[in-house]
Amino acid sequence: MISLLSLALLVNGHHPLPNQFSLSDCVQAETSLRSALHDGLRPQRLRALAILKRCNFSLPLATLHHDQDMEIRLSAWRITLSSAPIQSPLWQRAYESLPIAQARS
C-alpha cells in the first residue's frame, strides 16, 4: 500500500483518494507525506494534506493558515472550520487572513 500512497502524491489531477487507509500504511508513509506537505508542489501538498487528514494524523494547521500558497491556506482553514461552530472567532480570523474571493468560499 506504500506504493499507492506514494502514487497518490504523484497524480496531478482530481483523481479520488480512498476514504480510508490502513493504519500500518499510514504509519509507514507518514514521513514522506509530511515531507511532501512541506516541500512538494501544490498538487502534492494538497494531496499529502488530504491523506494525512484521512490517516487521522495531527496536522500543522496553525502553520498552514499562514502558508505562502493561498490554496494550501484555504484548505487548512476549511479543515479547521469544518468542526468550528459558526459563532466561533475562528470564522472571523479566517475571513481576515484570506483574500476576499477565497474568504467567501
Side-chain angles (χ1 to χ4, degrees):
M1 187 60 126
I2 290 300
S3 61
L4 176 62
L5 291 177
S6 298
L7 180 61
L9 291 175
L10 298 176
V11 176
N12 288 330
H14 299 286
H15 303 286
L17 293 170
N19 287 332
Q20 286 186 313
F21 298 101
S22 74
L23 179 60
S24 63
D25 293 335
C26 287
V27 169
Q28 290 177 357
E30 182 179 13
T31 302
S32 62
L33 291 170
R34 291 196 183 278
S35 177
L37 180 61
H38 186 263
D39 298 325
L41 299 174
R42 178 186 291 165
Q44 289 80 27
R45 292 182 74 204
L46 290 170
R47 292 179 80 76
L49 181 60
I51 293 170
L52 286 166
K53 183 177 183 305
R54 290 179 190 187
C55 286
N56 293 315
F57 286 125
S58 64
L59 301 171
L61 294 176
T63 302
L64 296 175
H65 289 163
H66 303 286
D67 198 89
Q68 294 295 323
D69 187 326
M70 292 308 239
E71 290 294 323
I72 301 297
R73 191 184 300 183
L74 180 61
S75 293
W77 276 112
R78 283 183 179 150
I79 292 169
T80 300
L81 296 175
S82 67
S83 61
I86 198 71
Q87 299 84 6
S88 170
L90 289 172
W91 285 91
Q92 184 63 33
R93 274 193 254 152
Y95 189 77
E96 291 168 354
S97 75
L98 293 169
I100 193 69
Q102 287 186 329
R104 289 185 188 150
S105 66

